[in-house]
């Protein structure tokens, strides 16, 4: 029997192990009958972090989830209200504090969801308690994150307010909704439409002065007349406009005080509370139940694991985002967006190689401006308070464009001045040609003008074109004035040189005669009319000038550049002709020539 005893003992151990494993996987339901933190503040009370214990409780849920979150100022009775909705006592439900400091830190969830049938589907309803805002020792940024996170996660958002609705409450809700809307669409870069939670205004007060709570809310959310254009009232109205899209999902409800001794509420049962409060509380439960719908993300419901994943993504986005305080609305947050838009605008503008024409710079500015605005439209924070940010973006882009305009003018002036100086030097060089040539001057004049027109660009071009025209006209007039004098002197020198060469070097009679004719014409004409400039009006002079221009400057050879080498070559040929007897071999057929000296003639001399 010993082996049977051992076998029985092993079987018992396996059974115990299985029970322990099952217990580990499926904790006792009683352990979930309490509140768990799901989001906690960091040490500086500026950012939020996830609480593992509460997330594990939510992950167990396999049915679609709906969340009811209560928000409001600290010490306004949020935790007590949640306990009343869950029919829990203070000792068992959410912790209720009677001290001046806030009891709830971060966001807490009741571990056991309420199971409801919604349109034939089973839905698990989570009740969320949030840390109250306006308590000491926290930044406004922290309050905004709590507020926004509750707005994103919840299916029903209960705004618990004591006594009345203040302007700060409207502003804070507007801002939180915009934060939630923005970051809801930024999870993993997805562009999903924001599905706002159903808003329930809960006003806890005893007297409404003849107005229903719905009338109070409607009046608080109405636009304020602003006939005088007051900027403060404009801001107030913009805040109300941002909540307009929640109007169809908004409900107002009043709840009287449960008892005069508020610090002893947790020690009282329903029989001790105000009967009117009990009646209104039960009505509130029915309203909340009727409003509940499962949370949708991209059109589909979320189970426990998906809800936790969504919470993790949203919290990461909120902690990374530079969320401003409520008082600044959205402009402070948009500051980073503006900087990115301006950086993009600068990058596009800096691709332009200055200088450019004014029209081209304007075109590039328009394209860069469109890109920056598209980026702003895609990333800006808030859809209802962007007027200031857009005006700021436009103003900054105008400043940058103005700076580029000044830089373009400077670079244009610098380039055009360089081209102008280059043309001026070119004109001075043409004035000092060795052999004056109107054709060469005109060709240089044209090239210089074309080069200036092509390379001088930008806003300075117009003024430099006027300077260029005056300089070229002045250079042209000066060249024409000196042209006849220089050409006259050169032709006189040329005729004398040709006379000497024709008579003493090559002894070509016809060439000598032609040279004498040119010399006599030039000297006689200028003596008769007292000026070489008047040669310009003589047809013969025009023929001479045309011949001169053809010889001195033509597409094949520029004599001005080769005058010295040509003179050297011609001198060498003349010496060769004279000294080596080339004249005797090739010159006999050229008539008339000088046959010999006058003293060696065979003809008899007569008196």
């Amino acid at each position: 029997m010993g082996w049977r005893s051992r076998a029985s003992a092993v079987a018992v151990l396996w059974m115990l192990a299985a029970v322990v494993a099952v217990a580990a996987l499926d904790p006792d339901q009683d352990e979930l009958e309490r509140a768990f933190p799901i989001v906690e503040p960091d040490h500086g009370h500026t950012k939020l972090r996830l609480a593992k214990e509460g997330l594990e409780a939510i992950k167990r849920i396999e049915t679609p989830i709906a969340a009811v979150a209560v928000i409001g100022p600290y010490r306004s009775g949020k935790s007590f209200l949640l306990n009343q909705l869950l029919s829990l006592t203070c000792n068992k439900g959410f912790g209720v504090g009677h001290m001046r400091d806030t009891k709830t830190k971060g966001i807490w969830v009741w571990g056991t969801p309420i199971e409801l049938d919604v349109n034939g589907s089973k839905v698990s309803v989570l009740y969320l308690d949030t840390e109250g805002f306006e308590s000491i020792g926290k930044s406004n940024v922290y309050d905004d994150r709590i507020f926004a996170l509750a707005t994103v996660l919840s299916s029903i958002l209960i705004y618990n307010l004591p006594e009345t609705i203040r302007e700060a409450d409207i502003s804070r809700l507007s801002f939180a909704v915009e934060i939630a809307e923005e970051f809801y669409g930024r999870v993993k870069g997805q562009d999903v439409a924001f599905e706002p939670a159903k808003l329930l205004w809960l006003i806890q007060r005893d007297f409404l002065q003849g107005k229903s709570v719905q009338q109070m809310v409607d009046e608080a959310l109405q636009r304020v007349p602003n006939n005088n254009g007051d900027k403060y009232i404009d801001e107030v109205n913009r805040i109300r406009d941002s909540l307009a899209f929640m109007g169809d999902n908004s409900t107002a409800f009043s709840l009287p005080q449960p008892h005069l001794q508020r610090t002893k509420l947790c020690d009282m049962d329903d029989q001790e509370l105000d009967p009117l409060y009990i009646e209104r509380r039960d009505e509130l439960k029915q309203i909340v139940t009727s409003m509940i719908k499962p949370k949708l993300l991209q059109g589909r419901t979320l189970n426990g694991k998906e809800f936790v994943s969504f919470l993790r993504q949203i919290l990461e986005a909120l902690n990374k985002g530079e969320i401003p305080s409520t008082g600044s609305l959205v402009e402070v947050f948009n500051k980073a967006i503006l900087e990115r838009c301006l950086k993009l605008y600068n990058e596009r503008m800096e691709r332009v190689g200055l200088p450019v024409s004014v029209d081209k710079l304007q075109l590039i500015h328009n394209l860069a401006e469109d890109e920056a605005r598209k980026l702003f439209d895609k990333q800006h924070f808030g859809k209802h308070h962007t007027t200031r940010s857009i005006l700021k973006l436009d103003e900054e882009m105008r400043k940058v464009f103005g700076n580029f305009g000044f830089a373009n003018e400077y670079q244009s002036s610098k380039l055009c001045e360089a081209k102008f100086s280059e043309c001026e030097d070119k004109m001075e060089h043409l004035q000092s040609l060795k052999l004056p040539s109107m054709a060469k001057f005109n060709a240089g004049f044209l090239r210089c003008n074309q080069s200036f027109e092509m390379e001088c660009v930008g806003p300075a071009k117009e003024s430099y074109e006027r300077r260029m025209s005056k300089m070229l006209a002045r250079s042209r007039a000066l060249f024409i004035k000196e042209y006849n004098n220089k050409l006259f002197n050169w032709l006189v020198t040329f005729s004398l040189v040709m006379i000497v060469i024709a008579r003493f070097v090559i002894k070509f009679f016809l060439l000598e005669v032609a040279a004498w004719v040119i010399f006599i014409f030039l000297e006689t004409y200028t003596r008769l009319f007292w000026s070489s400039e008047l040669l310009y009006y003589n047809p013969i002079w025009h023929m001479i000038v045309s011949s001169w221009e053809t010889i001195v400057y033509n597409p094949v050879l520029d004599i001005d550049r080769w005058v010295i080498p040509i003179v050297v070559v011609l001198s060498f040929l003349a010496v060769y002709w004279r000294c080596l007897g080339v004249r005797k071999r090739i010159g006999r057929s050229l008539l008339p020539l000088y046959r010999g000296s006058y003293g060696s003639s065979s003809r008899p001399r007569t008196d």
Side-chain angles (χ1 to χ4, degrees):
M1 297 295 293
W3 65 271
R4 292 183 179 178
S5 299
R6 288 193 296 271
S8 299
V10 171
V12 170
L13 290 175
W14 274 110
M15 291 177 63
L16 289 175
V19 170
V20 171
V22 171
L25 294 174
D26 187 15
D28 189 76
Q29 187 68 20
D30 292 339
E31 294 183 6
L32 298 177
E33 291 287 338
R34 64 185 181 91
F36 294 91
I38 58 173
V39 174
E40 296 176 330
D42 62 2
H43 297 294
H45 240 87
T46 58
K47 292 187 177 182
L48 300 171
R49 60 190 180 190
L50 296 174
K52 183 178 180 181
E53 190 177 8
L55 299 183
E56 293 297 329
I58 297 176
K59 286 181 179 180
R60 297 177 57 255
I61 303 173
E62 298 181 355
T63 56
I65 287 179
V68 177
V70 180
I71 58 176
Y74 86 109
R75 302 297 300 142
S76 61
K78 298 186 301 300
S79 300
F80 181 79
L81 173 64
L82 280 168
N83 290 334
Q84 292 291 299
L85 294 177
L86 289 167
S87 301
L88 299 172
T89 63
C90 295
N91 294 330
K92 186 177 181 181
F94 288 98
V96 177
H98 301 298
M99 313 260 320
R100 291 305 297 170
D101 59 339
T102 180
K103 185 73 174 178
T104 303
K105 302 292 185 181
I107 298 179
W108 289 60
V109 64
W110 184 249
T112 304
I114 305 299
E115 305 291 343
L116 291 179
D117 185 275
V118 179
N119 297 327
S121 300
K122 184 179 179 181
V123 177
S124 299
V125 184
L126 299 175
Y127 283 82
L128 305 179
D129 190 12
T130 63
E131 183 173 353
F133 47 77
E134 295 181 346
S135 63
I136 60 176
K138 300 183 302 178
S139 66
N140 289 334
V141 175
Y142 174 79
D143 282 346
D144 292 333
R145 285 191 170 96
I146 290 288
F147 214 150
L149 190 56
T151 304
V152 172
L153 296 177
S154 62
S155 304
I156 300 176
L157 186 66
I158 301 177
Y159 200 171
N160 184 59
L161 296 172
E163 299 299 329
T164 187
I165 301 175
R166 302 171 300 168
E167 186 63 38
D169 299 325
I170 298 174
S171 175
R172 184 177 289 107
L173 179 61
S174 166
F175 188 64
V177 168
E178 292 210 26
I179 293 176
E181 181 178 3
E182 287 299 317
F183 283 100
Y184 190 95
R186 295 184 188 186
V187 175
K188 289 186 176 180
Q190 300 167 351
D191 184 15
V192 294
F194 175 59
E195 180 193 27
K198 293 183 178 180
L199 179 62
L200 176 59
W201 297 86
L202 182 61
I203 312 297
Q204 297 191 35
R205 62 179 298 170
D206 295 322
F207 305 100
L208 295 177
Q209 299 177 351
K211 296 181 181 179
S212 68
V213 68
Q214 188 64 55
Q215 289 176 327
M216 179 189 299
V217 172
D218 291 342
E219 290 179 2
L221 295 179
Q222 284 181 355
R223 289 179 61 88
V224 180
N226 187 18
N227 299 326
N228 298 325
D230 189 287
K231 293 183 179 180
Y232 172 75
I233 297 179
D234 284 341
E235 187 66 38
V236 169
N237 288 330
R238 279 196 295 269
I239 292 172
R240 281 156 175 74
D241 292 340
S242 67
L243 291 174
F245 74 100
M246 295 188 69
D248 296 336
N249 294 325
S250 177
T251 302
F253 192 83
S254 64
L255 192 65
Q257 297 296 335
H259 198 276
L260 294 178
Q261 296 182 342
R262 294 178 57 83
T263 58
K264 296 183 179 181
L265 291 178
C266 288
D267 300 326
M268 300 179 183
D269 53 25
D270 284 358
Q271 289 76 16
E272 299 177 81
L273 300 178
D274 189 327
L276 179 60
Y277 170 79
I278 299 297
E279 179 183 350
R280 297 291 290 173
R281 181 198 65 187
D282 293 339
E283 291 181 15
L284 178 61
K285 287 183 179 180
Q286 295 177 2
I287 290 175
V288 171
T289 301
S290 66
M291 295 172 63
I292 287 177
K293 288 185 178 180
K295 185 67 179 177
L296 296 178
L297 178 62
Q298 293 181 318
R300 63 183 182 86
T301 59
L302 305 177
N303 59 24
K305 291 182 180 179
E306 293 168 339
F307 186 85
V308 170
S309 176
F310 176 60
L311 169 60
R312 181 176 288 107
Q313 295 168 24
I314 288 292
L315 187 62
E316 182 180 355
L318 286 171
N319 283 332
K320 286 183 177 180
E322 298 179 8
I323 303 176
S325 63
T326 305
S328 64
L329 293 175
V330 297
E331 279 72 19
V332 175
F333 180 81
N334 281 334
K335 181 179 180 182
I337 307 298
L338 289 177
E339 290 176 353
R340 286 197 290 272
C341 292
L342 287 174
K343 182 180 179 182
L344 174 65
Y345 176 81
N346 274 292
E347 289 175 352
R348 296 296 182 267
M349 293 296 291
E350 287 174 356
R351 291 180 181 178
V352 184
L354 299 180
V356 294
S357 66
V358 176
D359 292 339
K360 184 176 181 180
L361 186 65
Q362 183 66 45
L363 176 61
I364 295 169
H365 160 72
N366 293 338
L367 295 175
E369 187 179 45
D370 288 342
E371 284 194 54
R373 284 184 176 176
K374 287 179 182 178
L375 178 63
F376 180 80
D377 292 338
K378 183 178 180 180
Q379 297 187 0
H380 77 269
F381 182 84
K383 293 181 172 61
H384 311 283
H385 301 284
T386 58
T387 303
R388 292 184 183 178
S389 299
I390 291 176
L391 293 176
K392 181 68 174 177
L393 177 61
D394 290 341
E395 180 184 355
E396 293 298 325
M397 286 193 294
R398 281 196 300 270
K399 289 181 180 178
V400 175
F401 179 61
N403 293 334
F404 271 94
F406 289 133
N408 191 40
E409 290 182 4
Y410 171 75
Q411 294 294 338
S412 176
S413 298
K414 187 176 178 181
L415 177 62
C416 291
E417 178 66 31
K419 299 308 298 182
F420 177 82
S421 299
E422 182 180 329
C423 283
E424 196 172 35
D425 293 341
K426 180 67 175 178
M427 291 298 101
E428 290 180 359
H429 172 71
L430 291 175
Q431 296 288 348
S432 58
L433 291 175
K434 304 180 187 71
L435 301 176
S437 170
M438 182 64 71
K440 185 172 184 178
F441 180 86
N442 289 336
F445 181 97
L446 182 61
R447 283 197 301 270
C448 188
N449 197 28
Q450 289 176 343
S451 174
F452 179 83
E453 287 293 328
M454 291 178 58
E455 299 183 31
C456 175
V457 294
K461 183 174 183 177
E462 185 177 354
S463 61
Y464 273 89
E465 279 181 336
R466 292 193 294 268
R467 290 182 58 187
M468 188 74 174
S469 298
K470 293 180 181 178
M471 186 271 292
L472 293 177
R474 188 168 55 250
S475 298
R476 187 179 184 87
L478 180 61
F479 182 84
I480 293 175
K481 180 180 179 181
E482 299 294 330
Y483 178 73
N484 286 328
N485 289 328
K486 290 183 177 180
L487 184 56
F488 174 82
N489 294 331
W490 267 107
L491 289 176
V492 170
T493 304
F494 175 76
S495 61
L496 292 176
V497 171
M498 292 308 298
I499 290 171
V500 173
I501 292 175
R503 184 174 183 84
F504 299 105
V505 178
I506 63 175
K507 295 188 177 183
F508 192 177
F509 179 72
L510 293 179
L511 182 60
E512 181 184 357
V513 171
W516 275 110
V517 170
I518 294 174
F519 177 78
I520 294 171
F521 169 77
L522 294 174
E523 288 296 323
T524 304
Y525 195 89
T526 54
R527 295 295 185 270
L528 290 175
F529 295 99
W530 303 98
S531 174
S532 60
E533 284 83 356
L534 295 178
L535 286 168
Y536 181 78
Y537 302 101
N538 192 293
I540 299 177
W541 177 253
H542 285 182
M543 294 176 59
I544 297 174
V545 168
S546 299
S547 302
W548 170 267
E549 291 290 341
T550 303
I551 296 172
V552 171
Y553 183 75
N554 58 77
V556 178
L557 185 64
D558 183 4
I559 302 298
D560 186 73
R561 299 179 61 182
W562 298 94
V563 60
I564 296 177
I566 288 174
V567 169
V568 172
V569 171
L570 290 177
S571 300
F572 175 78
L573 291 176
V575 172
Y576 179 80
W577 183 295
R578 181 65 177 168
C579 298
L580 299 181
V582 176
R583 178 176 60 84
K584 294 181 179 180
R585 293 195 300 270
I586 65 174
R588 295 186 180 273
S589 62
L590 297 177
L591 295 174
L593 294 174
Y594 293 104
R595 300 280 182 181
S597 62
Y598 294 108
S600 61
S601 176
S602 61
R603 188 175 54 183
R605 181 176 181 181
T606 63
D607 295 332

